[in-house]
Each structure stands twice: as structure tokens, then as C-alpha cells.
Amino acid sequence: MERRDKAFYQELYREWLSSGLKKSVFAANRGINRATFYYWCKKLEVVSEPISEPFTSFKRLAAL
């Protein structure tokens, strides 16, 4: 089995996002193990999610 680096999976992840295909179909079309592709998608989704305001339940007080 060939080992690939993070950059390879980042590029695949971007291609998958723009393809509109299901993950399983995309992985099969590219000849990649489905579980491996799911693993990298999960790993890259966590990194790429934008962080919104961390304390959204708090309200900003007006200045006096």
C-alpha cells in the first residue's frame, strides 16, 4: 500500500468538495480506500472549520 502525505489528501479533499459527489463515490472513482478517505475528510474538516465567536451565549454590554 502506498503512503501519501497530508498535502495529497488536502488536494483530494478540495477536489471532492467541488465535485458534488458522495465521499464513497469520489473515493471509488479515484481508487482510494473509502475508510482512508473518510478519515482524512474528518481530519481536514476539523482543521478547516472557521471559528465563530467563542462566547456566543454572552451579550456585549453597552459602554457607559
Side-chain angles (χ1 to χ4, degrees):
M1 183 165 80
E2 182 180 336
R3 293 188 79 92
R4 298 179 175 132
D5 63 350
K6 184 177 180 178
F8 174 80
Y9 286 104
Q10 286 174 329
E11 182 60 31
L12 276 181
Y13 180 73
R14 285 188 210 107
E15 287 178 30
W16 167 71
L17 286 175
S18 63
S19 73
L21 297 172
K22 291 182 178 182
K23 290 177 188 173
S24 58
V25 173
F26 182 83
N29 288 346
R30 296 299 301 253
I32 298 167
N33 182 295
R34 183 179 59 90
T36 302
F37 187 63
Y38 274 63
Y39 166 81
W40 276 100
C41 285
K42 180 95 172 154
K43 191 171 183 168
L44 294 170
E45 285 169 356
V46 171
V47 172
S48 65
E49 285 182 11
I51 299 173
S52 60
E53 291 186 34
F55 303 108
T56 56
S57 62
F58 294 107
K59 294 183 180 180
R60 188 176 299 271
L61 298 175
L64 297 175

